[in-house]
Amino acid sequence: MASKSSKKKPNSKRSSSKPASSPMASPKHFHLKRFFILISIMLPVCVIVVLGVSSNTSFKISSDHYSVKIYGFELVNEFPHDPRAFTQGLVYAGNESLYESTGLYKQSTVRRVAIQTGKVEVLHKMPDSFFGEGLTLLGERLFQVTWLTKIGFIYDTKNLQKLDRFTHQMEDGWGLATDGKILYGSDGTSTLYQIDPQTLKATRKQVIQFNGREVRYLNELEYINGEIWANVWQTDCIARISPKDGRMLGWILLPTLRQGLIAAGYNGIDVLNGIAWDSNKNRIFVTGKLWPKLYEIKLHPVRRQIDNKDIEQLCVP
Protein backbone atom coordinates (compact mmCIF):
# COMPACT_ATOMS: atom_id res chain seq x y z
CA MET A 1 0.00 0.00 0.00
CA ALA A 2 2.84 2.41 0.64
CA SER A 3 3.76 2.64 -3.01
CA LYS A 4 0.18 3.38 -4.06
CA SER A 5 -0.43 5.87 -1.29
CA SER A 6 2.76 7.77 -2.02
CA LYS A 7 1.47 8.39 -5.53
CA LYS A 8 -1.76 9.92 -4.26
CA LYS A 9 -0.70 13.52 -4.65
CA PRO A 10 2.70 13.63 -6.36
CA ASN A 11 2.24 17.29 -7.17
CA SER A 12 0.49 18.36 -3.98
CA LYS A 13 3.17 20.94 -3.23
CA ARG A 14 2.72 22.39 -6.69
CA SER A 15 -1.04 22.23 -6.28
CA SER A 16 -0.99 24.04 -2.96
CA SER A 17 -0.05 27.29 -4.66
CA LYS A 18 -3.04 29.50 -5.39
CA PRO A 19 -4.09 30.05 -9.01
CA ALA A 20 -3.01 33.47 -10.19
CA SER A 21 -6.39 34.59 -11.47
CA SER A 22 -9.78 35.00 -9.85
CA PRO A 23 -12.43 32.47 -10.95
CA MET A 24 -14.85 35.28 -11.65
CA ALA A 25 -12.64 37.21 -14.08
CA SER A 26 -14.97 38.23 -16.90
CA PRO A 27 -12.80 37.29 -19.93
CA LYS A 28 -12.32 33.77 -18.61
CA HIS A 29 -15.99 33.48 -17.69
CA PHE A 30 -17.00 34.57 -21.20
CA HIS A 31 -14.64 32.14 -22.88
CA LEU A 32 -15.68 29.30 -20.59
CA LYS A 33 -19.36 29.83 -21.35
CA ARG A 34 -18.59 30.03 -25.06
CA PHE A 35 -16.54 26.82 -24.79
CA PHE A 36 -19.42 24.87 -23.21
CA ILE A 37 -21.89 26.17 -25.78
CA LEU A 38 -19.55 24.86 -28.46
CA ILE A 39 -19.13 21.57 -26.58
CA SER A 40 -22.90 21.08 -26.29
CA ILE A 41 -23.12 21.37 -30.07
CA MET A 42 -20.01 19.38 -30.93
CA LEU A 43 -19.97 16.76 -28.15
CA PRO A 44 -21.07 13.80 -30.29
CA VAL A 45 -18.45 14.62 -32.92
CA CYS A 46 -15.75 15.28 -30.31
CA VAL A 47 -16.25 11.95 -28.55
CA ILE A 48 -16.09 10.11 -31.88
CA VAL A 49 -12.84 11.84 -32.75
CA VAL A 50 -11.30 11.20 -29.33
CA LEU A 51 -12.27 7.56 -29.22
CA GLY A 52 -11.95 6.90 -32.93
CA VAL A 53 -15.26 5.07 -33.19
CA SER A 54 -18.82 5.82 -34.27
CA SER A 55 -22.30 4.32 -34.26
CA ASN A 56 -25.90 5.49 -34.47
CA THR A 57 -27.16 3.27 -31.70
CA SER A 58 -27.00 3.37 -27.92
CA PHE A 59 -24.12 1.14 -26.89
CA LYS A 60 -23.12 -1.07 -24.00
CA ILE A 61 -19.75 -2.72 -23.70
CA SER A 62 -19.37 -6.25 -22.45
CA SER A 63 -17.08 -6.73 -19.45
CA ASP A 64 -16.66 -10.08 -17.76
CA HIS A 65 -19.93 -11.37 -19.25
CA TYR A 66 -22.18 -8.47 -18.28
CA SER A 67 -23.04 -5.14 -19.88
CA VAL A 68 -21.46 -1.88 -18.82
CA LYS A 69 -23.14 1.34 -19.93
CA ILE A 70 -21.18 4.40 -21.04
CA TYR A 71 -22.47 7.92 -20.32
CA GLY A 72 -21.68 11.40 -21.49
CA PHE A 73 -23.27 14.49 -19.99
CA GLU A 74 -25.23 17.66 -20.56
CA LEU A 75 -24.11 20.77 -18.70
CA VAL A 76 -27.10 22.10 -16.74
CA ASN A 77 -25.49 24.80 -14.58
CA GLU A 78 -22.15 26.08 -13.42
CA PHE A 79 -21.47 27.81 -10.11
CA PRO A 80 -18.48 29.53 -8.45
CA HIS A 81 -16.16 27.28 -6.45
CA ASP A 82 -13.23 28.23 -4.23
CA PRO A 83 -10.14 27.80 -6.47
CA ARG A 84 -8.02 27.21 -3.35
CA ALA A 85 -10.15 24.23 -2.25
CA PHE A 86 -8.32 20.92 -2.78
CA THR A 87 -11.63 19.05 -2.90
CA GLN A 88 -11.58 15.57 -1.36
CA GLY A 89 -15.18 15.02 -0.28
CA LEU A 90 -18.48 16.55 -1.41
CA VAL A 91 -21.97 15.99 0.03
CA TYR A 92 -25.30 17.71 -0.61
CA ALA A 93 -26.38 19.36 2.65
CA GLY A 94 -29.87 20.56 1.71
CA ASN A 95 -31.04 24.18 1.48
CA GLU A 96 -28.91 24.79 -1.63
CA SER A 97 -25.65 24.08 0.17
CA LEU A 98 -22.89 21.48 0.20
CA TYR A 99 -20.58 20.01 2.81
CA GLU A 100 -17.02 19.84 1.51
CA SER A 101 -13.81 18.30 2.82
CA THR A 102 -10.57 19.81 1.52
CA GLY A 103 -7.03 18.51 1.70
CA LEU A 104 -3.36 19.55 1.83
CA TYR A 105 -1.36 19.73 5.04
CA LYS A 106 -1.91 22.94 7.03
CA GLN A 107 -4.84 23.81 4.74
CA SER A 108 -7.36 21.01 5.31
CA THR A 109 -10.91 21.99 6.26
CA VAL A 110 -14.49 20.85 6.57
CA ARG A 111 -16.90 23.49 5.34
CA ARG A 112 -20.48 24.23 4.38
CA VAL A 113 -20.72 26.10 1.10
CA ALA A 114 -23.59 27.92 -0.64
CA ILE A 115 -24.05 26.41 -4.09
CA GLN A 116 -25.22 29.55 -5.89
CA THR A 117 -22.40 31.82 -4.70
CA GLY A 118 -19.62 29.46 -3.66
CA LYS A 119 -19.46 31.34 -0.35
CA VAL A 120 -18.15 29.41 2.65
CA GLU A 121 -20.88 29.64 5.30
CA VAL A 122 -19.27 27.60 8.10
CA LEU A 123 -15.65 26.40 8.29
CA HIS A 124 -13.74 24.03 10.55
CA LYS A 125 -9.95 24.19 10.22
CA MET A 126 -8.29 20.83 10.78
CA PRO A 127 -5.02 20.37 12.69
CA ASP A 128 -1.98 21.03 10.48
CA SER A 129 -0.80 17.41 10.74
CA PHE A 130 -3.93 16.00 9.03
CA PHE A 131 -4.70 15.87 5.32
CA GLY A 132 -8.49 15.89 4.89
CA GLU A 133 -10.08 13.27 2.64
CA GLY A 134 -13.50 11.72 1.96
CA LEU A 135 -16.66 12.95 3.68
CA THR A 136 -20.21 11.64 4.05
CA LEU A 137 -23.38 12.56 5.92
CA LEU A 138 -25.19 9.97 8.02
CA GLY A 139 -28.08 11.30 10.06
CA GLU A 140 -26.89 14.40 11.91
CA ARG A 141 -23.22 13.44 11.75
CA LEU A 142 -20.51 14.00 9.18
CA PHE A 143 -17.88 11.28 8.88
CA GLN A 144 -14.46 12.15 7.46
CA VAL A 145 -11.30 10.14 6.79
CA THR A 146 -7.72 11.40 6.42
CA TRP A 147 -4.89 10.57 4.04
CA LEU A 148 -2.01 8.25 5.03
CA THR A 149 -3.69 7.42 8.34
CA LYS A 150 -6.41 5.17 9.64
CA ILE A 151 -7.87 8.05 11.61
CA GLY A 152 -11.22 9.66 10.97
CA PHE A 153 -13.37 12.34 12.57
CA ILE A 154 -17.08 12.88 13.24
CA TYR A 155 -18.56 16.38 13.11
CA ASP A 156 -21.82 18.05 14.09
CA THR A 157 -23.69 19.12 10.95
CA LYS A 158 -24.89 22.44 12.37
CA ASN A 159 -21.63 24.05 13.48
CA LEU A 160 -19.03 21.53 12.19
CA GLN A 161 -17.65 21.08 15.69
CA LYS A 162 -15.68 17.85 16.09
CA LEU A 163 -17.69 15.30 18.08
CA ASP A 164 -15.43 12.28 18.02
CA ARG A 165 -12.36 10.62 16.55
CA PHE A 166 -12.22 7.04 15.27
CA THR A 167 -9.95 4.50 13.63
CA HIS A 168 -10.95 2.36 10.65
CA GLN A 169 -9.70 -0.85 9.04
CA MET A 170 -9.00 0.38 5.53
CA GLU A 171 -5.38 0.61 4.40
CA ASP A 172 -5.75 4.38 3.97
CA GLY A 173 -8.48 7.02 3.96
CA TRP A 174 -9.61 8.25 0.52
CA GLY A 175 -13.39 8.20 0.02
CA LEU A 176 -16.62 7.78 2.02
CA ALA A 177 -20.30 7.41 1.15
CA THR A 178 -23.43 6.04 2.80
CA ASP A 179 -26.81 4.55 1.88
CA GLY A 180 -28.22 5.79 5.16
CA LYS A 181 -27.48 2.55 6.96
CA ILE A 182 -23.86 1.58 6.35
CA LEU A 183 -20.73 3.41 5.26
CA TYR A 184 -18.81 2.69 2.06
CA GLY A 185 -15.12 3.49 1.91
CA SER A 186 -12.16 3.54 -0.46
CA ASP A 187 -8.44 3.55 0.27
CA GLY A 188 -6.90 4.26 -3.13
CA THR A 189 -6.79 0.63 -4.18
CA SER A 190 -9.42 -1.31 -6.15
CA THR A 191 -11.18 -2.34 -2.92
CA LEU A 192 -14.61 -1.01 -1.97
CA TYR A 193 -15.29 -1.41 1.77
CA GLN A 194 -18.55 -1.70 3.67
CA ILE A 195 -18.21 -0.31 7.19
CA ASP A 196 -20.47 -0.52 10.25
CA PRO A 197 -21.06 3.11 11.33
CA GLN A 198 -21.39 2.10 14.98
CA THR A 199 -18.21 0.05 15.35
CA LEU A 200 -16.33 1.48 12.33
CA LYS A 201 -15.22 -2.06 11.50
CA ALA A 202 -15.13 -3.29 7.90
CA THR A 203 -17.90 -5.83 7.34
CA ARG A 204 -17.26 -6.58 3.66
CA LYS A 205 -14.64 -5.97 0.96
CA GLN A 206 -15.14 -6.08 -2.80
CA VAL A 207 -12.41 -5.82 -5.44
CA ILE A 208 -13.70 -3.75 -8.37
CA GLN A 209 -12.71 -4.92 -11.85
CA PHE A 210 -13.31 -3.89 -15.43
CA ASN A 211 -12.47 -6.09 -18.40
CA GLY A 212 -10.39 -8.34 -16.17
CA ARG A 213 -8.37 -5.48 -14.69
CA GLU A 214 -8.60 -4.09 -11.19
CA VAL A 215 -9.89 -0.51 -11.12
CA ARG A 216 -7.29 1.06 -8.83
CA TYR A 217 -7.31 4.49 -7.23
CA LEU A 218 -11.00 4.51 -6.26
CA ASN A 219 -11.28 7.94 -4.70
CA GLU A 220 -14.23 10.18 -3.70
CA LEU A 221 -17.50 8.24 -3.38
CA GLU A 222 -21.21 8.99 -3.57
CA TYR A 223 -24.25 6.73 -3.13
CA ILE A 224 -26.82 7.45 -5.86
CA ASN A 225 -30.01 5.46 -6.50
CA GLY A 226 -28.64 2.16 -5.25
CA GLU A 227 -25.20 2.56 -6.85
CA ILE A 228 -21.79 3.67 -5.66
CA TRP A 229 -20.24 6.33 -7.90
CA ALA A 230 -16.48 6.66 -7.57
CA ASN A 231 -14.00 9.15 -8.94
CA VAL A 232 -10.96 7.30 -10.26
CA TRP A 233 -7.86 9.30 -9.41
CA GLN A 234 -5.79 10.53 -12.37
CA THR A 235 -8.75 10.19 -14.75
CA ASP A 236 -11.75 12.18 -15.94
CA CYS A 237 -14.02 9.19 -15.29
CA ILE A 238 -16.58 8.21 -12.69
CA ALA A 239 -17.16 4.49 -12.11
CA ARG A 240 -20.70 3.28 -11.38
CA ILE A 241 -20.53 0.24 -9.11
CA SER A 242 -23.09 -2.18 -7.68
CA PRO A 243 -22.67 -2.24 -3.89
CA LYS A 244 -24.42 -5.61 -3.80
CA ASP A 245 -21.75 -7.57 -5.65
CA GLY A 246 -19.08 -5.09 -6.73
CA ARG A 247 -19.93 -5.32 -10.45
CA MET A 248 -19.05 -2.44 -12.73
CA LEU A 249 -22.35 -1.00 -13.99
CA GLY A 250 -21.11 1.90 -16.08
CA TRP A 251 -18.64 4.68 -16.78
CA ILE A 252 -19.30 8.42 -16.89
CA LEU A 253 -16.89 10.30 -19.16
CA LEU A 254 -16.22 13.93 -18.15
CA PRO A 255 -12.98 15.00 -19.90
CA THR A 256 -14.48 18.14 -21.44
CA LEU A 257 -15.03 19.75 -18.02
CA ARG A 258 -11.32 19.88 -17.22
CA GLN A 259 -10.43 20.64 -20.83
CA GLY A 260 -12.88 23.56 -20.80
CA LEU A 261 -11.28 25.08 -17.73
CA ILE A 262 -7.81 24.77 -19.20
CA ALA A 263 -9.00 26.31 -22.47
CA ALA A 264 -10.37 29.23 -20.46
CA GLY A 265 -6.96 29.83 -18.91
CA TYR A 266 -7.28 27.97 -15.60
CA ASN A 267 -3.96 26.17 -15.80
CA GLY A 268 -3.48 25.64 -12.07
CA ILE A 269 -6.27 23.11 -11.67
CA ASP A 270 -5.77 19.52 -10.51
CA VAL A 271 -7.84 16.38 -11.15
CA LEU A 272 -11.59 15.79 -11.26
CA ASN A 273 -12.76 14.92 -7.73
CA GLY A 274 -16.04 15.48 -5.93
CA ILE A 275 -19.55 14.10 -6.50
CA ALA A 276 -22.68 15.28 -4.70
CA TRP A 277 -26.26 14.10 -5.16
CA ASP A 278 -29.43 16.05 -4.39
CA SER A 279 -31.93 13.19 -4.07
CA ASN A 280 -34.94 15.49 -3.76
CA LYS A 281 -34.39 17.24 -7.08
CA ASN A 282 -32.33 14.50 -8.78
CA ARG A 283 -29.38 16.83 -9.30
CA ILE A 284 -25.76 15.74 -9.80
CA PHE A 285 -22.91 18.09 -8.86
CA VAL A 286 -19.24 17.55 -9.71
CA THR A 287 -16.04 19.53 -9.30
CA GLY A 288 -12.31 19.02 -8.94
CA LYS A 289 -9.26 19.89 -6.85
CA LEU A 290 -8.49 23.61 -7.17
CA TRP A 291 -11.31 24.03 -9.68
CA PRO A 292 -12.94 27.48 -9.84
CA LYS A 293 -16.27 25.94 -10.90
CA LEU A 294 -18.87 23.54 -9.54
CA TYR A 295 -20.98 21.90 -12.26
CA GLU A 296 -24.49 20.52 -12.28
CA ILE A 297 -24.71 17.85 -14.97
CA LYS A 298 -27.29 15.53 -16.48
CA LEU A 299 -26.24 12.18 -17.92
CA HIS A 300 -27.08 10.71 -21.30
CA PRO A 301 -25.99 7.42 -22.90
CA VAL A 302 -23.12 7.59 -25.35
CA ARG A 303 -24.54 6.56 -28.72
CA ARG A 304 -21.53 5.01 -30.38
CA GLN A 305 -19.52 1.85 -30.07
CA ILE A 306 -16.60 2.11 -27.68
CA ASP A 307 -14.03 -0.62 -27.37
CA ASN A 308 -13.05 -1.93 -23.94
CA LYS A 309 -9.44 -0.93 -24.59
CA ASP A 310 -10.45 2.68 -25.19
CA ILE A 311 -12.29 2.77 -21.88
CA GLU A 312 -9.31 1.19 -20.15
CA GLN A 313 -7.04 3.86 -21.57
CA LEU A 314 -9.35 6.64 -20.42
CA CYS A 315 -10.52 5.30 -17.07
CA VAL A 316 -8.28 2.52 -15.68
CA PRO A 317 -4.83 3.86 -14.72
Side-chain angles (χ1 to χ4, degrees), residues 83-299:
R84 298 165 297 181
F86 201 78
T87 304
Q88 301 289 64
L90 201 66
V91 182
Y92 186 69
N95 297 319
E96 293 300 304
S97 62
L98 299 168
Y99 293 116
E100 183 173 12
S101 170
T102 70
L104 299 178
Y105 292 113
K106 299 184 178 181
Q107 300 181 46
S108 292
T109 67
V110 178
R111 53 182 71 181
R112 188 173 71 228
V113 181
I115 292 174
Q116 295 292 331
T117 65
K119 180 182 177 181
V120 177
E121 298 177 329
V122 185
L123 184 140
H124 170 82
K125 175 73 167 59
M126 297 178 65
D128 289 350
S129 59
F130 285 102
F131 194 122
E133 280 283 350
L135 184 76
T136 196
L137 172 63
L138 179 58
E140 296 298 316
R141 299 185 299 169
L142 285 165
F143 289 76
Q144 180 198 37
V145 288
T146 57
W147 185 45
L148 295 181
T149 79
K150 296 188 177 185
I151 296 171
F153 299 102
I154 300 173
Y155 302 94
D156 182 272
T157 56
K158 296 180 180 64
N159 54 23
L160 301 186
Q161 291 296 308
K162 185 171 70 174
L163 299 175
D164 204 355
R165 169 174 169 157
F166 64 89
T167 58
H168 58 78
Q169 297 178 329
M170 299 187 292
E171 295 298 322
D172 195 359
W174 282 43
L176 280 180
T178 184
D179 61 1
K181 297 178 180 179
I182 63 174
L183 300 176
Y184 297 89
S186 65
D187 60 6
T189 67
S190 57
T191 301
L192 180 66
Y193 294 79
Q194 295 186 16
I195 302 168
D196 185 317
Q198 300 301 320
T199 65
L200 281 307
K201 295 184 181 299
T203 59
R204 190 179 182 187
K205 301 178 185 180
Q206 298 163 318
V207 176
I208 311 306
Q209 296 187 344
F210 172 74
N211 201 33
R213 287 182 56 185
E214 292 188 12
V215 181
R216 301 180 301 158
Y217 306 138
L218 297 177
N219 202 0
E220 213 270 323
L221 305 176
E222 184 64 279
Y223 184 89
I224 300 178
N225 287 337
E227 300 177 5
I228 294 293
W229 290 20
N231 285 117
V232 179
W233 183 58
Q234 292 185 320
T235 79
D236 294 307
C237 303
I238 294 174
R240 297 176 62 164
I241 302 165
S242 167
K244 295 179 180 179
D245 53 19
R247 288 190 301 118
M248 276 292 307
L249 302 175
W251 288 104
I252 303 168
L253 309 181
L254 302 175
T256 52
L257 291 179
R258 185 175 51 83
Q259 292 165 3
L261 288 171
I262 293 172
Y266 297 108
N267 297 313
I269 62 172
D270 208 286
V271 296
L272 175 77
N273 202 46
I275 311 164
W277 168 243
D278 173 8
S279 59
N280 291 327
K281 296 183 179 179
N282 295 324
R283 293 185 296 174
I284 305 164
F285 300 96
V286 296
T287 190
K289 303 177 184 183
L290 307 178
W291 283 26
K293 298 289 182 182
L294 170 79
Y295 298 104
E296 179 187 347
I297 62 172
K298 183 178 181 180
L299 303 189

Side-chain angles (χ1 to χ4, degrees), residues 7-46:
K7 294 170 63 178
K8 170 81 187 238
K9 285 131 186 132
N11 53 358
S12 60
K13 291 184 180 179
R14 173 191 62 76
S15 300
S16 64
S17 59
K18 298 178 179 61
S21 302
S22 165
M24 298 305 293
S26 57
K28 287 184 178 180
H29 183 73
F30 171 76
H31 289 302
L32 187 59
K33 293 291 287 184
R34 185 170 62 179
F35 177 85
F36 280 117
I37 291 171
L38 178 62
I39 285 296
S40 66
I41 297 171
M42 296 299 294
L43 182 61
V45 176
C46 291

